[in-house]
Amino acid sequence: MTRTILKFPIYLDNNATTCCDERVLDAMVPFFSVHYGNAASRTHLFGWQAEEAVELAREQIAALIGADSKEIIFTSGATEGDNLAIKGVCESYASKGNHIITVSTEHKAVLDTCKHLEKKGARVTYLPVQTDGTISPEKLEAAITPDTVLIVVMYANNETGVVQPVNQIGRIARRHQVLLFTDAAQACGKTPINLANDPIDILALSAHKIYGPKGVGALYVRRRDPRVRLASQMDGGGHERGMRSGTLNVPGIVGLGKACEICRQDMQTESKRLAALRDKLETGLLSVGDSMVNGSREKRMQHVTNISFAGADAGALMTACHQTLAVSSGSACTSASIEPSYVLKALGLDDSLAHSSLRFALGRFTTEEEIDFAIIEIKRAVEAVRGANAIINRIKSTGV
Ligand SMILES: *Cc1c(COP(=O)(O)O)cnc(C)c1O
């Protein structure tokens, strides 16, 4: 039996960000110092080398998602992709209408962009989700009106891992000649996506969620059937087919390309490995009792589980094991805030249960030893917090 030495804290927060893969880092390094050219410089070797590297990355990304490399626009990440897609479509298709349909459990980058557009006169429908976290395609279809220009549905949720029926939604969108944009930051590279067949018109992805560097991402923009028009949100030199100006982040783009290539090669074996580890973790943690998995257990990414431990506050749990485990509460960006997760509340959880939930997101570097350890540690923490609460409640009710 081989034993590896555990390093603490064990990282189980791979939906927030991932460790940059060393192969990705190795590919990037020369583009900081040796091949530092500007990919838009057309007059010398430095520029040509940078451009060649960027075009290779474009092909690696396109290959991962079944796109044409001409359909890939580089961005600074999924937040920018969300902004560019939603604002860009609204601006370009203003003569057709000003109605957007989205979902209450989308990422803040989508919801806040929609709120911004509402202030400027757009009409936005926020569809509720069912208790399993998915939307009803029938309700979505019923919400479409003649002035609907865009449907925005994320591929997989960052807090629960729940996967939306994006292709079914895409077929509905096609039937009504409405564009579909999906934020695939949590799905791309982890589940097969083939845009040659999938009826998705725009798709956002981010490098740092797939073992690439932070601050770089890509937006897929369909060129045929239909050809999507996007008004640029960043004006300047007319880079990226005029949709996104600014000198390209060549090292970052090279890293994103390499990250996509590795995901494409490893996806099948890696998704099976992660599913087995996640299931082991989930089974282990549910044995603590009075706990439940949030969101559909079937329509879900294989590396994520979001679990509520009734009567154990998530903050207290994380404090109890902060030296050994890096996890987060259901509310990803708002773990410091007292607001419970809007995603979990949309699934029907009350405030107290939403406050008692932890998200575990496994990744490429997660080992079985780490999962075995995490199970013991979380169970210990849940029992300790519940035990302390029981004592407090007894004192409150009896005074002793
Ligand atoms: C992480 C994430 C984002 C933000 O991506 P950045 O590249 O960090 O801007 C947007 N949407 C989803 C679903 C995410 O998980």
Side-chain angles (χ1 to χ4, degrees):
M1 191 172 84
T2 55
R3 281 195 143 272
T4 52
I5 296 162
L6 289 175
K7 286 209 197 85
F8 297 111
I10 292 165
Y11 190 72
L12 291 175
D13 202 15
N14 285 281
N15 278 14
T17 196
T18 57
C19 173
C20 191
D21 192 296
E22 260 180 58
R23 293 166 287 180
V24 169
L25 195 56
D26 288 345
M28 290 171 67
V29 166
F31 291 90
F32 286 102
S33 50
V34 187
H35 307 305
Y36 53 82
N38 183 325
S41 294
R42 291 286 151 79
T43 54
H44 49 67
L45 185 63
F46 294 89
W48 303 330
Q49 283 172 336
E51 195 199 5
E52 192 182 289
V54 165
E55 292 317 309
L56 171 64
R58 223 186 278 281
E59 274 160 25
Q60 289 166 321
I61 299 161
L64 175 67
I65 57 176
D68 186 293
S69 64
K70 294 190 194 74
E71 298 175 305
I72 305 299
I73 303 293
F74 290 112
T75 64
S76 63
T79 300
E80 185 188 339
D82 290 347
N83 274 265
L84 175 54
I86 300 168
K87 291 174 183 168
V89 164
C90 277
E91 209 174 311
S92 282
Y93 294 83
S95 61
K96 185 192 173 207
N98 69 346
H99 180 228
I100 303 168
I101 300 172
T102 188
V103 183
S104 61
T105 52
E106 291 290 303
H107 192 271
K108 284 288 182 192
V110 164
L111 296 177
D112 289 353
T113 300
C114 287
K115 272 188 217 141
H116 174 91
L117 290 171
E118 271 183 302
K119 280 189 205 133
K120 303 208 151 188
R123 201 163 60 77
V124 182
T125 301
Y126 300 91
L127 293 172
V129 292
Q130 308 169 108
T131 51
D132 73 352
T134 64
I135 61 166
S136 138
E138 292 74 31
K139 285 211 177 104
L140 174 115
E141 184 158 26
I144 298 174
T145 64
D147 66 347
T148 307
V149 288
L150 184 65
I151 294 169
V152 185
V153 179
M154 74 199 319
Y155 211 108
N157 187 272
N158 43 305
E159 291 192 26
T160 58
V162 167
V163 173
Q164 297 292 354
V166 171
N167 288 336
Q168 198 183 344
I169 294 163
R171 286 190 289 276
I172 294 170
R174 284 275 154 91
R175 228 173 20 246
H176 293 268
Q177 297 195 343
V178 176
L179 295 175
L180 170 63
F181 163 56
T182 189
D183 175 343
Q186 297 291 354
C188 212
K190 298 169 186 178
T191 196
I193 294 177
N194 180 9
L195 297 167
N197 297 324
D198 302 347
I200 295 166
D201 301 305
I202 317 172
L203 175 146
L205 60 96
S206 176
H208 76 98
K209 302 287 173 74
I210 55 171
Y211 314 95
K214 294 167 183 62
V216 61
L219 194 66
Y220 159 86
V221 184
R222 187 174 287 282
R223 264 162 61 91
R224 268 205 309 254
D225 310 316
R227 182 181 183 90
V228 176
R229 287 177 287 122
L230 272 194
S232 69
Q233 301 301 307
M234 186 92 83
D235 300 309
H239 308 72
E240 300 297 283
R241 291 166 53 205
M243 293 186 205
R244 204 277 194 176
S245 287
T247 300
L248 292 179
N249 170 3
V250 178
I253 288 167
V254 167
L256 171 56
K258 186 70 186 174
C260 287
E261 187 189 76
I262 298 170
C263 285
R264 190 165 64 89
Q265 288 164 350
D266 289 359
M267 193 186 298
Q268 261 200 329
T269 45
E270 185 61 0
S271 58
K272 286 199 194 99
R273 188 186 75 90
L274 287 173
L277 286 184
R278 190 273 313 271
D279 290 347
K280 183 175 196 189
L281 175 67
E282 199 164 80
T283 308
L285 294 182
L286 290 177
S287 74
V288 75
D290 272 341
S291 52
M292 66 167 201
V293 173
N294 294 312
S296 171
R297 292 177 75 167
E298 296 80 38
K299 301 168 197 156
R300 185 170 57 148
M301 294 302 296
Q302 65 279 347
H303 65 287
V304 189
T305 181
N306 186 310
I307 303 182
S308 292
F309 301 96
D313 179 71
L317 291 177
M318 286 187 288
T319 304
C321 38
H322 77 276
Q323 287 179 327
T324 54
L325 296 180
V327 295
S328 74
S329 58
S331 40
C333 324
T334 49
S335 26
S337 116
I338 44 163
E339 279 296 298
S341 155
Y342 67 92
V343 172
L344 296 183
K345 288 189 76 175
L347 267 57
L349 271 69
D350 63 22
D351 280 12
S352 149
L353 211 49
H355 267 307
S356 311
S357 308
L358 291 178
R359 173 183 72 177
F360 303 89
L362 287 59
R364 182 176 292 164
F365 307 109
T366 306
T367 65
E368 185 158 15
E369 286 90 346
E370 289 180 332
I371 293 302
D372 291 338
F373 185 91
I375 294 169
I376 295 169
E377 195 69 349
I378 293 287
K379 284 175 80 170
R380 181 189 63 76
V382 171
E383 278 156 13
V385 171
R386 282 182 179 160
N389 284 345
I391 292 169
I392 292 166
N393 289 339
R394 200 179 60 225
I395 293 169
K396 273 186 190 159
S397 61
T398 63
V400 286

